[in-house]
Amino acid sequence: MRVVFMGTPHFAVPSLEALIARYDLVGVCTRPDALTGRGRRLASSPVKQAALAAGVPVLQPRTFRDATAVADLAALRPDVVGVAAYGLLLPRAVLEIPPHGCINVHASLLPAYRGAAPIERAILAGEAVTGVTIMRMDEGLDTGDWAAMESVAIDDLYASEVSDSLADMGARMLLGVLSQIESGRVVWRPQPKDGATYADKLARNDVALNPLLPLETALRRVRASSPHAPAKCSVLGVAVTVQRASRSEVSVPPSAVVAEKHRLLLGFADGSMDVQTLTPEGRGAMDGTAFARGRRASVGTWEAIG
């Protein structure tokens, strides 16, 4: 079976590697190289890097609304297209190319959290579980029929940790569904009509920290944050991104900062946050107490930014 894979970020790499090991992978589609980092250097996606390392041809269309891009894909003659976090909409002209369809690894229990940020939105909402759905794509936003679904507990995991777990799970599940397709045993089920929710891409305000938040809401924001949408605030007069934190049993008033015994505590509306790791603006990551020592402060205040 000739397979083409579409994906872009780290989440998609396990699925790509699984396909390389099992199938005749005739091509990979990924997003065009982009400027990243403070130096604004042109960088290839993780999927492109993995594909080139394995000697797989790579296509990087900016859109599939272009007839040339569709023709380039059709020229690969895929029997099936595997998709994981690609980042481009697939029009009908693309969906109809592979006889067995475009099979997507989606990081939620559909129909919940359709869209671009299912993991982060599930964490922000306080969901106890999330998972992976393998679905056959149609022209809707993650509305296609599904063939496999598995769940995992979120607990107090961070978005990056949940993503790594679901990426490995999704790769295994994708191989399982492709095997069912090959043998003619696959069963496609329509998604339930009720319970659909949408997971828009996170904006900075979605994860910004301020002292008026309930502590649990603030902790979810930290766990859901990423370099694209960081959990930012101003601590002791310095703009910082909080990267790792937990609930503290020590009581600290809202807006207060207390550094004591290897802890940096921030006060919220109904509790205090123990900040293990933060990144001051323009500097590298450090532990909370090292930051406080650098500011020569054991007490002070913190506030929202903007």
Side-chain angles (χ1 to χ4, degrees), residues 26-256:
V26 296
V28 164
C29 294
T30 190
R31 296 296 301 275
D33 296 356
L35 296 173
T36 61
R38 289 191 296 175
R40 306 303 291 164
R41 295 181 178 179
L42 198 63
S44 300
S45 73
V47 162
K48 179 180 178 179
Q49 295 173 38
L52 292 179
V56 180
V58 174
L59 303 178
Q60 294 183 271
R62 295 193 175 279
T63 176
F64 276 114
R65 302 298 179 186
D66 174 26
T68 300
V70 176
D72 289 343
L73 176 61
L76 296 174
R77 297 183 294 108
D79 296 304
V80 67
V81 172
V83 185
Y86 179 33
L88 275 185
L89 292 174
L90 302 185
R92 178 179 293 276
V94 170
L95 298 174
E96 292 180 345
I97 289 173
H100 294 296
C102 297
I103 312 303
N104 186 42
V105 179
H106 185 73
S108 82
L109 304 175
L110 292 173
Y113 300 105
R114 295 168 172 167
I119 295 171
E120 295 86 349
R121 291 293 178 184
I123 291 173
L124 287 177
E127 300 285 2
V129 299
T130 186
V132 169
T133 304
I134 307 297
M135 53 160 286
R136 182 171 56 187
M137 298 176 72
D138 59 18
E139 291 184 275
L141 179 61
D142 299 323
T143 55
D145 295 346
W146 63 279
M149 189 180 300
E150 293 186 20
S151 63
V152 295
I154 294 177
D155 296 323
D156 290 333
L157 295 175
Y158 290 77
S160 60
E161 297 168 332
V162 177
S163 179
D164 288 346
S165 175
L166 296 187
D168 291 338
M169 174 188 291
R172 171 179 54 78
M173 293 170 64
L174 177 61
L175 290 185
V177 170
L178 293 183
S179 177
Q180 292 173 7
I181 289 174
E182 283 187 292
S183 65
R185 296 181 295 108
V186 68
V187 177
W188 296 105
R189 305 168 179 85
Q191 293 184 35
K193 294 182 179 179
D194 298 328
T197 56
Y198 294 88
D200 293 335
K201 185 177 180 180
L202 261 62
R204 292 178 182 270
N205 287 343
D206 291 323
V207 290
L209 302 177
N210 74 73
L212 301 180
L213 289 172
L215 177 59
E216 185 55 40
T217 298
L219 289 171
R220 290 174 189 164
R221 291 188 175 195
V222 172
R223 294 198 296 270
S225 66
S226 69
H228 303 291
K232 301 198 76 165
C233 60
S234 177
V235 178
L236 301 174
V238 178
V240 305
T241 296
V242 178
Q243 294 177 309
R244 294 272 164 171
S246 60
R247 176 182 294 273
S248 174
E249 299 305 318
V250 178
S251 179
V252 175
S255 300

Side-chain angles (χ1 to χ4, degrees), residues 227-297:
H228 303 291
K232 301 198 76 165
C233 60
S234 177
V235 178
L236 301 174
V238 178
V240 305
T241 296
V242 178
Q243 294 177 309
R244 294 272 164 171
S246 60
R247 176 182 294 273
S248 174
E249 299 305 318
V250 178
S251 179
V252 175
S255 300
V257 177
V258 175
E260 60 167 28
K261 296 181 180 179
H262 310 296
R263 293 186 294 192
L264 177 66
L265 307 179
L266 306 183
F268 285 84
D270 59 352
S272 56
M273 176 186 290
D274 184 346
V275 178
Q276 283 91 46
T277 308
L278 54 74
T279 302
E281 195 166 85
R283 300 184 62 185
M286 62 178 65
D287 68 64
T289 50
F291 168 79
R293 286 195 301 270
R295 300 297 295 170
R296 300 180 183 275

